[in-house]
Amino acid sequence: MNNKASGQLSGLAGRLAAEGLITREQGQEAQRQAALERIPLVKYLVNTMDVDSHRLAEIASNEFGVPLFDIRAFNPELLPSGLVDINLISKHHALPLFRRGNRLFIAVSDPTNLSAIDEIKFHTGINTDPVLVEERVLSKLIEQWMESQDDLGKGLSDIDADDLENIDIAEGKGDDDDGSDGIDETPIVRFVNKVLVDAIKQGASDIHFEPYEHNYRVRFRTDGVLREVVQPPRNLSARLAARLKVMSQMDISERRVPQDGRIQMKLSRNRAIDFRVNTLPTLFGEKIVLRILDPSSAQMGIDALGYEEDQKALYLKALSKPQGMILVTGPTGSGKTVSLYTGLNLLNQPERNISTAEDPVEINMAGINQVHVNPKVGLNFAEALRSFLRQDPDVIMVGEIRDLETAEIAIKAAQTGHLVLSTLHTNSAAETITRLLNMGVPAFNLATSVDLIIAQRLARRLCKECAVPADDIPHDVLLKEGFTEELLATATLMHPVGCEHCKDGYKGRVGVYEVVRVTPAIARIIMAEGNSLDIHEQARVEGFNDLRMSALRKAAQGLTSLEEVNRVTTD
């Protein structure tokens, strides 16, 4: 009987029995009753079985290696307020003591109560460490602390009230079965709102909510790099997905197919942030990705994009022409949309009729007619372009040239008195021409309609606070990397370090561009259906810097590092 009972005891109860503080039968009974009453085992032992509180704390400290702390001298009025919801403190019998940097120290009397630490970490977004205290002392301090609280409704820290209350939420429609199980969703609402606010504050471009078999994580893409920011409890996956889908006006009852939606967050009377939301059914739940769309990025001006002076002059000259085609190319996330919208913002005058076809419309711009293409109903890029040409346009923007039909209509528009802007997914300016030739566009049409091609990347910008001179790179290595002697003569190369102001030595991003005008010589190569190498070599001869050289110039100016140049460009 005793052996069976002993085998059923938890680590703490077994150790207490071994130390003679309780019997094995008492330990077994305490475990059962504490579970039924949903209270910590230590609290039950002290309050119900009158176990010595101090002796129990000493044994627990030795058993689990958690430091024993005397909090009798703590003034409850000086304890951190607003960090943890009062309901969590009552539920888990745990109290925040103090915060040091990004770590929050929590007073607990039961070191086996790991759910308390995990849930408090989830709701605060702060790394949490337990501090062991005596049960009787902790109970008294929690009681005093609760009496000192004037506002019992605070739950999450570091969120402006306006940030939480001004989110424009449209209630979605669906079944009641959203995974909430009838539990109060207020902490979920606050957590999701906090993640959105934090992402904006950190300058993130994307937010990833990702369920896995044994864990759940949230990541931000900041400066082009994904970083994990928090791991909510895995069992909240369905509730988080339901909340995001409600905010995005999706069908919360549909979990089998991907869905698209949108969220708007009003930061002030004059500024709002949009989130483009997509759900993806995965093996362990719905992964949800939010793309952050800041309309102010289109208003920041061409000088903020990072063009060299000669490149900026070429772009502005092409924008000033009444007709022709400007193509912006690069991989996803290279800043093509911002470059296009910056150009459209410069063109957006009352005397011009501007229409755009996009999939989807990422940034709303007053004064521009924006069309969200919808292939499901027959409204693709080609159909939208045909309609534009009957709407007396001056400027047309096509979100992406994906097929021959769209390319032919766009080129026809550029040849008949319209300025056309569009994008392709190619790696360089020269490859853009060969891609269109491979689609089937006649060489003559390309040579006579395409005026300017911009290939671009985004490189992480060095932090001004901690970057140090890169004097350790040998001169011959720099020459092999592509630097010229002329460039090195005035170069200020820097290394990333990392500090409290940045992430890994970088803060923000800077554009790297290859801007090529289709000159008569390049047009002749296109007419002869020359390959991308021929076009690239002619562009170099005529003084157009390729992506690699443009990136090296950014490194020479101390804006980015050689390591980052190698990450975003290839020879």
Side-chain angles (χ1 to χ4, degrees), residues 239-439:
R239 297 177 196 168
L240 290 170
R243 176 58 188 165
L244 288 165
K245 290 163 75 173
V246 166
M247 296 171 70
S248 310
Q249 302 185 47
M250 297 179 188
D251 182 355
I252 62 174
S253 65
E254 179 56 77
R255 306 184 184 96
R256 300 165 298 175
V257 297
Q259 295 187 65
D260 292 295
R262 205 176 186 96
I263 300 172
Q264 184 177 76
M265 173 182 285
K266 295 178 181 178
L267 297 182
S268 66
R269 182 174 299 177
N270 300 318
R271 187 187 177 199
I273 300 291
D274 286 343
F275 298 83
R276 191 179 76 206
V277 187
N278 176 265
T279 68
L280 179 68
T282 68
L283 191 60
F284 300 107
E286 289 179 286
K287 172 174 178 175
I288 302 179
V289 176
L290 288 74
R291 167 65 58 89
I292 302 175
L293 309 172
D294 186 356
S296 64
S297 63
Q299 309 289 331
M300 60 185 182
I302 194 170
D303 291 329
L305 297 184
Y307 285 96
E308 302 289 339
E309 287 300 318
D310 55 337
Q311 295 175 333
K312 182 176 73 172
L314 287 171
Y315 191 19
L316 292 175
K317 184 177 181 180
L319 288 170
S320 68
K321 293 183 177 181
Q323 67 181 53
M325 179 178 283
I326 300 172
L327 296 174
V328 181
T329 182
T332 300
S334 60
K336 300 187 299 296
T337 299
V338 173
S339 287
L340 283 179
Y341 275 114
T342 300
L344 289 177
N345 190 51
L346 293 171
L347 295 169
N348 190 11
Q349 302 296 329
E351 63 270 15
R352 290 194 180 96
N353 177 22
I354 304 175
S355 297
T356 72
E358 307 171 60
D359 182 19
V361 175
E362 294 196 352
I363 299 175
N364 299 324
M365 296 188 71
I368 294 179
N369 309 292
Q370 297 173 275
V371 175
H372 186 146
V373 300
N374 185 357
K376 293 181 180 179
V377 298
L379 181 58
N380 54 25
F381 283 120
E383 191 61 35
L385 280 175
R386 288 193 189 94
S387 182
F388 289 169
L389 293 176
R390 297 189 291 269
Q391 292 266 322
D392 185 31
D394 296 299
V395 180
I396 295 172
M397 194 271 274
V398 187
E400 183 183 350
I401 295 177
R402 298 175 179 173
D403 51 55
L404 177 59
E405 185 181 18
T406 305
E408 288 180 334
I409 300 172
I411 287 172
K412 178 183 176 182
Q415 291 174 330
T416 55
H418 309 93
L419 181 61
V420 179
L421 293 79
S422 190
T423 72
L424 282 89
H425 284 89
T426 57
N427 292 324
S428 67
E431 291 178 29
T432 301
I433 296 296
T434 56
R435 171 70 60 82
L436 291 170
L437 288 172
N438 291 337
M439 280 186 185

Side-chain angles (χ1 to χ4, degrees), residues 137-149:
V137 179
L138 178 61
S139 294
K140 184 177 181 180
L141 189 62
I142 289 177
E143 183 180 349
Q144 292 174 341
W145 180 85
M146 287 185 173
E147 291 175 355
S148 70
Q149 298 303 294

Side-chain angles (χ1 to χ4, degrees), residues 147-163:
E147 291 175 355
S148 70
Q149 298 303 294
D150 295 324
D151 181 6
L152 302 183
K154 293 182 179 180
L156 292 170
S157 64
D158 301 329
I159 310 176
D160 296 331
D162 291 341
D163 288 339

Side-chain angles (χ1 to χ4, degrees), residues 227 460-468 494-507:
R227 295 182 177 86
R460 289 182 293 173
R461 187 187 292 268
L462 284 166
C463 174
K464 295 180 181 180
E465 302 293 333
C466 64
V468 297
M494 306 291 284
H495 273 319
V497 177
C499 66
E500 60 182 4
H501 302 284
C502 66
K503 297 281 188 181
D504 303 324
Y506 299 96
K507 186 175 183 180

Side-chain angles (χ1 to χ4, degrees), residues 314 429-434 437 443-444 446-453 514-545:
L314 287 171
E431 291 178 29
T432 301
I433 296 296
T434 56
L437 288 172
F444 174 79
L446 285 179
T448 57
S449 60
V450 178
D451 185 64
L452 191 74
I453 305 173
E514 176 187 17
V515 182
V516 176
R517 181 172 65 87
V518 179
T519 63
I522 292 177
R524 285 193 291 271
I525 295 175
I526 296 172
M527 291 284 290
E529 297 189 4
N531 60 37
S532 60
L533 295 177
D534 297 330
I535 298 171
H536 178 81
E537 179 59 25
Q538 182 60 38
R540 187 191 63 80
V541 169
E542 298 197 38
F544 301 119
N545 287 323

